[in-house]
Amino acid sequence: IADGKWKDEGKHINYLISMNSDEKIVSTLIVTEFRSDISIVMVTRNGQIKRTFLNEFSAVRYSKPINCMRLLRDDEMVDAKMVTGNSDILVLTENGAATFFNESELTPISLKGSGVKAISSLKHNALVGILTYEPDEKGKIVALTAQGHIRVFDIGYVQKTARLGKTQYFMKCFKSDPHTLVYFDKIDRKESLVQINTLTSKTSLLPIQLDDFRPVPVDKYAKKNIDTLGEDETVLGVYHQEIAVVNSKTKTYEPVLVVKEAVTVDTTVDEDNEAYEQISIFDDLGD
């Protein structure tokens, strides 16, 4: 990447690689070492999730992008994050639904493969993105909707389940006043003030400052509480300022051993003395 001055606009990424005009960047990671003990978790808008070892992303030629996930029709990737062997993954949807599970629930898949379901029931909803947590990591999260509602919730109130476990909600909406989640991120405990730099529907930059980190009860309905957002104005997105780094010092953890029930076969004799097998399975890997 060519060095630029502070006020320079920068260059389009196509001066480095050839990307289609309809592509957009959803996540960035700085990598100095493509390690085999670190993985990348990717999620799509329609609810697919996938984990792939980082060393598979190492490319010999950089002029052409590599495909890292086989997408289904009318689907697109919305987020990608690093996991370090025993990370927990929080998946959030547009209407405030969430699921929270360990990365061991995802069998590593090669770059050419597709994903599996990230949440048990998506219906007409869509995924917004994910956050990853190290073992025993706690903290608060700030969430922002397109309609101008901002709230804080604590990850400690989200129960960890299996990948397709019970769907939980951290935000409720009135049918007459629906809200769509567009941004969420961890709150740094060391910060006394968080500034979120948003882009609105009126193509203006709107900084939103948050200094009250008290969690909002999950049963409190979402209402517009950002006064600086115009009446007919919505939030389109947020500028990210921090990029994760992977190097030789990145800490990893021993993976969790997931113990599942073995497949059992029960031979039973019915009234006609005809034997049949009753089989119970623990999971459908293709789900």
Side-chain angles (χ1 to χ4, degrees):
I1 301 176
D3 290 335
K5 296 181 180 180
W6 177 253
K7 294 184 179 180
D8 288 349
E9 291 184 356
K11 295 182 179 180
H12 194 278
I13 197 171
N14 269 350
Y15 92 95
L16 292 173
I17 61 173
S18 299
M19 292 180 61
N20 294 331
S21 59
D22 59 346
E23 290 280 1
K24 62 181 180 180
I25 297 172
V26 298
S27 185
T28 307
L29 185 69
I30 298 175
V31 180
T32 61
E33 183 178 345
F34 287 88
R35 296 169 51 174
S36 59
D37 56 346
I38 291 176
S39 300
I40 301 297
V41 173
M42 299 156 276
V43 291
T44 72
R45 180 175 177 82
N46 292 344
Q48 295 294 298
I49 189 169
K50 170 186 176 180
R51 178 165 72 99
T52 299
F53 289 123
L54 178 61
N55 60 349
E56 293 199 29
F57 288 83
S58 180
V60 178
R61 294 183 299 175
Y62 299 96
S63 59
K64 184 180 180 181
I66 58 176
N67 292 326
C68 59
M69 186 174 186
R70 182 162 56 90
L71 297 175
L72 302 177
R73 182 179 299 179
D74 299 327
D75 201 359
E76 62 180 358
M77 191 177 296
V78 294
D79 202 0
K81 291 288 194 304
M82 171 183 65
V83 289
T84 54
N86 187 20
S87 300
D88 293 325
I89 304 169
L90 177 68
V91 180
L92 293 180
T93 70
E94 286 183 341
N95 72 342
T99 184
F100 192 42
F101 55 88
N102 190 268
E103 68 170 278
S104 60
E105 295 277 337
L106 300 171
T107 302
I109 302 174
S110 67
L111 291 174
K112 296 182 179 180
S114 57
V116 295
K117 285 183 179 181
I119 193 168
S120 59
S121 178
L122 195 61
K123 296 182 179 180
H124 301 295
N125 201 9
L127 292 189
V128 179
I130 58 176
L131 290 176
T132 60
Y133 289 82
E134 295 184 351
D136 301 322
E137 181 184 356
K138 303 296 182 182
K140 296 175 182 178
I141 298 170
V142 57
L144 176 67
T145 71
Q147 293 74 22
H149 173 73
I150 189 169
R151 71 166 52 196
V152 174
F153 67 98
D154 197 313
I155 187 63
Y157 291 105
V158 183
Q159 181 182 2
K160 190 161 63 173
T161 66
R163 172 171 56 90
L164 299 180
K166 182 180 179 181
T167 301
Q168 304 165 72
Y169 285 86
F170 70 92
M171 180 182 72
K172 294 183 178 181
C173 304
F174 292 105
K175 291 184 179 180
S176 58
D177 183 25
H179 279 251
T180 303
L181 184 68
V182 293
Y183 170 79
F184 60 92
D185 201 2
K186 299 177 184 179
I187 296 177
D188 190 343
R189 295 182 179 180
K190 300 178 182 179
E191 298 291 338
S192 58
L193 178 69
V194 172
Q195 178 164 304
I196 304 173
N197 299 308
T198 70
L199 176 66
T200 73
S201 57
K202 295 185 178 180
T203 64
S204 61
L205 299 177
L206 177 64
I208 299 172
Q209 293 185 341
L210 178 70
D211 58 3
D212 185 359
F213 300 149
R214 290 176 296 179
V216 177
V218 294
D219 58 350
K220 185 175 181 179
Y221 284 76
K223 294 182 180 180
K224 181 180 177 181
N225 56 3
I226 301 176
D227 298 332
T228 52
L229 190 69
E231 184 175 350
D232 299 325
E233 193 174 15
T234 59
V235 176
L236 298 180
V238 174
Y239 285 94
H240 296 268
Q241 297 179 322
E242 295 184 0
I243 301 177
V245 178
V246 178
N247 54 34
S248 59
K249 298 181 180 180
T250 302
K251 187 177 181 180
T252 58
Y253 301 86
E254 287 294 326
V256 171
L257 179 62
V258 179
V259 179
K260 296 183 178 182
E261 297 180 2
V263 176
T264 60
V265 179
D266 180 26
T267 303
T268 308
V269 179
D270 63 12
E271 295 179 355
D272 297 326
N273 294 325
E274 293 181 356
Y276 66 92
E277 291 183 340
Q278 182 176 353
I279 302 176
S280 62
I281 60 175
F282 52 78
D283 193 10
D284 182 4
L285 295 180
D287 198 359

